Amino acid sequence: MATDTETGEPFSDQLERWLRSDETKTLGALSDVFAEKSFAVAILLLMFLPALPLPTGGISHVFEAITVVLAGEMLLGRRTIWLPERWQRRELGPTTTGKAIPSMSRWIRRVERFSRPRGAWLFEQGSMLRLLVAAAIAPPFSGLDTLPSIGAVAIALAIILEDVVVLALGVVIGTGGVILILTIGAAIVRIFGNLL
């Protein structure tokens, strides 16, 4: 089972302990709690909803936009999350903390059963970590972002668990999703082109 290299505690337990704490649950609080891995944790939390094959009423696009901002920051070499003060202070809400994150925690626990630190040195390289987060960005606003979002969730989880096997799985799923989006987009363009 994959555990935090410093504390020896599984990530799912850390996440659940944070949920049970009296601390205010905001994106800004992630930096304090999860330190260096706060970018990956934030992307994991933000992309979990778009990864679900459910209609979200457009809220997933807001999460994707925040994810793009975070990934851009990481590409620029920031060590800590910077978000507008309003976004940092915004509470995650009872639906997110009471239903979504506990559900996500159960899925993470399943991955932790077979995951273990493999290729951990890869995740310690700052430039490589930035590239991985950039790869984790699902094409926003496509309407077909479930597969790329699943890939983003898996890549973020791979960074947290330091497991190249989970990383490879995330890259394959995310790439497959992007190819699907491009294929369907090209087909739609071709159909409309034939109609004109």
Side-chain angles (χ1 to χ4, degrees):
M1 176 181 281
T3 59
D4 184 277
T5 51
E6 292 177 15
T7 65
E9 180 182 24
F11 172 68
S12 56
D13 289 349
Q14 294 175 46
L15 191 57
E16 288 173 2
R17 184 169 29 85
W18 180 63
L19 280 177
R20 287 190 307 265
S21 74
D22 293 334
E23 185 176 340
T24 305
K25 310 304 181 285
T26 63
L27 284 176
L30 289 175
S31 291
D32 299 333
V33 176
F34 296 105
E36 291 179 4
K37 295 186 180 179
S38 59
F39 278 101
V41 174
I43 290 171
L44 176 70
L45 294 175
L46 290 167
M47 294 306 291
F48 189 74
L49 181 64
L52 298 174
L54 303 169
T56 60
I59 190 69
S60 62
H61 297 320
V62 174
F63 293 158
E64 290 168 353
I66 297 170
T67 301
V68 168
V69 169
L70 292 178
E73 288 178 25
M74 195 159 185
L75 282 173
L76 292 174
R78 287 195 57 92
R79 292 274 205 218
T80 58
I81 292 175
W82 176 89
L83 288 171
E85 196 65 35
R86 181 177 165 192
W87 288 3
Q88 284 190 34
R89 288 191 318 256
R90 187 168 178 88
E91 291 196 35
L92 297 177
T95 302
T96 302
T97 58
K99 293 181 180 178
I101 295 177
S103 173
M104 180 177 60
S105 183
R106 287 190 293 276
W107 282 99
I108 292 170
R109 197 173 299 283
R110 289 180 187 149
V111 173
E112 286 175 334
R113 285 187 197 133
F114 75 84
S115 178
R116 63 181 189 278
R118 292 178 270 219
W121 62 270
L122 178 70
F123 299 97
E124 295 169 5
Q125 308 298 320
S127 57
M128 188 60 171
L129 200 56
R130 288 194 292 271
L131 288 175
L132 292 176
V133 170
I137 303 173
F141 318 114
S142 66
L144 297 170
D145 46 10
T146 298
L147 280 178
S149 296
I150 292 171
V153 166
I155 291 170
L157 194 55
I159 292 168
I160 294 164
L161 301 176
E162 297 181 346
D163 190 345
V164 293
V165 173
V166 176
L167 173 65
L169 184 64
V171 169
V172 168
I173 293 170
T175 302
V178 170
I179 290 170
L180 178 66
I181 289 170
L182 294 175
T183 303
I184 291 173
I188 290 171
V189 168
R190 198 172 308 121
I191 289 169
F192 281 116
N194 292 337
L195 291 175
L196 299 176

